[in-house]
Amino acid sequence: MSDFPEFIKFLYEEYRHLNSGSLASYIPELTKADPNWFAISIVTKEGEIFEIGDHLQNFTIQSISKVFVYGMALEDCDRETLLEKIGVEPTGDPFNSVIRLDENSKRPDNPMVNAGAIATAGLIKGSNATEKLNRMLDMFRRYIGHDVFIDAPVFMSERATGHRNRALANLLLNFDIIENNIEEILDFYFQQCALVVNCHDLAVMAATLANRGINPIAKKQAVKPCYVRDILSVMYTCGMYNYAGEWAYRVGIPAKSGVSGGIIGVIPDRAGIAVFSPLIDSRGNSVRGIKVFEALSDQFNLHLFDSPLPKCSFLDISKNSEELISKPLKVTFDKSKSL
Ligand code: GLU
């Protein structure tokens, strides 16, 4: 057996006691998370699974949903129509910033910040709110491969406290980006954020994007392959809040994080990676999640701009990965301690 599963265990042991960061508290229900939860899941495009920790622990997807609803909007509207309403420029601002929309762009900069995600929610087709919600749930079902549901207390909690999002929606209406059904659009947005997932599900969803939109376990098409490139592009440039640039530099994997502590990463044509740990930094990214992704990227040359190495694919686990494991790491991997 290759060292790859051992390396995942090693990372889990290495970072499980890293306790910096804090739980998101601006959505009151999210403070009920256990700060110790920690999971790493990897699903290859062939459907192989490597995972460790609390990978079956449920939590709400939060901002990671933006990736998938954006895919839905691409299918509903097509690329150029969508671009007229929502840009694809990274902002360098916090995800819930209001100022930029008002002072500069008058159009959301990208679909990964809240302004853009709310605008995206407003473009989803359906004759009424129920039909739109059902279409959204169907879309998530295809990515996840089993039934899905929404965490009602988290939805209600955010609906009751999401005043910034309400402000953004009003500005979007003012700039003719959305229509005058603000409460319906916000409900849709809060519902997508309150979708219940676990780390395993997230890795399957990421693997689906890695596999040209086909869920590698359920073997179902979740999104049209022609839009996967667009989705991955905004993940790469805008997916990690105002850490997106440094993430692209250090990790180099199209990714998206959420304030509940999940991060997904897509290695095109190879695998989906998900890490879950609810302790987040000041920008909203999981602290342990960043560490795990950095180490994986370093160790297995997963940065998009790493030059291809012979036998560097961790998916090819039948091949000996000694050479990779011996590469210098920011963390020290002592194989004698591996489980
Ligand atoms: N529902 C959250 C909000 O709109 C999502 C934030 C996030 O995960 O970045 O504030």
Side-chain angles (χ1 to χ4, degrees):
M1 192 65 178
S2 110
D3 289 328
F4 179 69
E6 283 183 26
F7 188 67
I8 304 299
K9 288 178 192 161
F10 162 72
L11 290 179
Y12 179 78
E13 291 302 329
E14 188 71 15
Y15 293 124
R16 63 189 295 195
H17 300 297
L18 175 63
N19 285 324
S20 40
S22 50
L23 297 174
S25 58
Y26 75 100
I27 301 173
E29 278 294 302
L30 296 187
T31 58
K32 294 186 178 164
D34 180 342
N36 295 313
W37 286 336
F38 185 28
I40 305 171
S41 295
I42 298 177
V43 174
T44 71
K45 75 165 195 166
E46 288 79 22
E48 289 169 292
I49 301 166
F50 304 94
E51 48 200 2
I52 188 164
D54 305 305
H55 52 89
L56 296 180
Q57 173 61 52
N58 284 344
F59 57 98
T60 55
I61 189 169
Q62 297 301 331
S63 259
I64 297 174
S65 64
K66 293 169 181 169
V67 166
F68 303 96
V69 177
Y70 184 62
M72 205 178 161
L74 280 162
E75 290 183 331
D76 278 3
C77 305
D78 89 60
R79 182 181 296 140
E80 296 308 320
T81 314
L82 200 54
L83 270 177
E84 281 168 25
K85 298 271 186 192
I86 306 161
V88 287
E89 293 301 333
T91 66
D93 290 339
F95 65 98
N96 55 4
S97 171
V98 176
I99 289 192
R100 193 178 177 94
L101 179 63
D102 191 25
E103 284 188 344
N104 294 332
S105 54
K106 321 290 183 203
R107 171 185 83 140
D109 291 276
N110 69 67
M112 302 291 111
V113 290
N114 284 11
I118 295 166
T120 306
L123 292 168
I124 297 304
K125 295 214 184 321
S127 53
N128 55 47
T130 310
E131 189 180 321
K132 291 177 194 176
L133 172 62
N134 279 326
R135 290 193 63 236
M136 185 235 289
L137 294 175
D138 280 345
M139 177 273 293
F140 280 121
R141 238 173 244 128
R142 291 194 298 275
Y143 274 102
I144 294 177
H146 59 72
D147 208 3
V148 294
F149 57 98
I150 285 167
D151 185 319
V154 173
F155 165 67
M156 294 302 288
S157 180
E158 185 164 11
R159 190 193 216 200
T161 57
H163 310 306
R164 289 186 75 84
N165 286 328
R166 205 156 269 114
L168 284 169
N170 278 286
L171 280 176
L172 291 169
L173 174 61
N174 182 61
F175 297 135
D176 289 326
I177 300 289
I178 60 173
E179 289 176 10
N180 195 1
N181 52 346
I182 286 185
E183 288 308 319
E184 184 185 310
I185 293 172
L186 283 171
D187 274 357
F188 184 97
Y189 173 70
F190 296 145
Q191 283 158 349
Q192 73 176 67
C193 289
L195 186 92
V196 175
V197 289
N198 57 43
C199 194
H200 169 84
D201 294 334
L202 287 181
V204 174
M205 295 165 88
T208 300
L209 290 175
N211 191 35
R212 294 176 48 77
I214 299 171
N215 178 322
I217 312 268
K219 313 277 185 220
K220 291 230 170 78
Q221 190 85 47
V223 62
K224 288 186 185 153
C226 59
Y227 294 122
V228 170
R229 192 190 74 175
D230 304 319
I231 297 169
L232 296 183
S233 300
V234 292
M235 288 173 73
Y236 193 73
T237 52
C238 314
M240 296 297 291
Y241 304 119
N242 37 342
Y243 187 67
E246 195 166 332
W247 173 274
Y249 185 84
R250 287 184 187 281
V251 180
I253 295 174
K256 182 73 195 91
S257 57
V259 292
S260 49
I263 302 181
I264 60 167
V266 177
I267 319 295
D269 208 33
R270 292 163 75 184
I273 303 176
V275 182
F276 169 55
S277 163
L279 292 173
I280 58 171
D281 62 20
S282 58
R283 290 153 164 146
N285 295 317
S286 166
V287 176
R288 293 181 197 167
I290 287 183
K291 291 283 186 200
V292 169
F293 268 97
E294 276 183 3
L296 282 171
S297 177
D298 269 5
Q299 183 75 351
F300 294 103
N301 288 76
L302 299 180
H303 194 297
L304 280 191
F305 307 131
D306 275 330
S307 21
L309 285 183
K311 292 197 259 172
C312 74
S313 167
F314 67 74
L315 308 182
D316 195 357
I317 56 166
S318 57
K319 289 188 183 157
N320 186 354
S321 55
E322 280 296 323
E323 179 192 337
L324 293 166
I325 292 291
S326 60
K327 197 178 158 225
L329 252 189
K330 287 187 192 118
V331 290
T332 316
F333 177 38
D334 178 356
K335 280 173 61 184
S336 64
K337 283 200 309 197
S338 59
L339 306 179

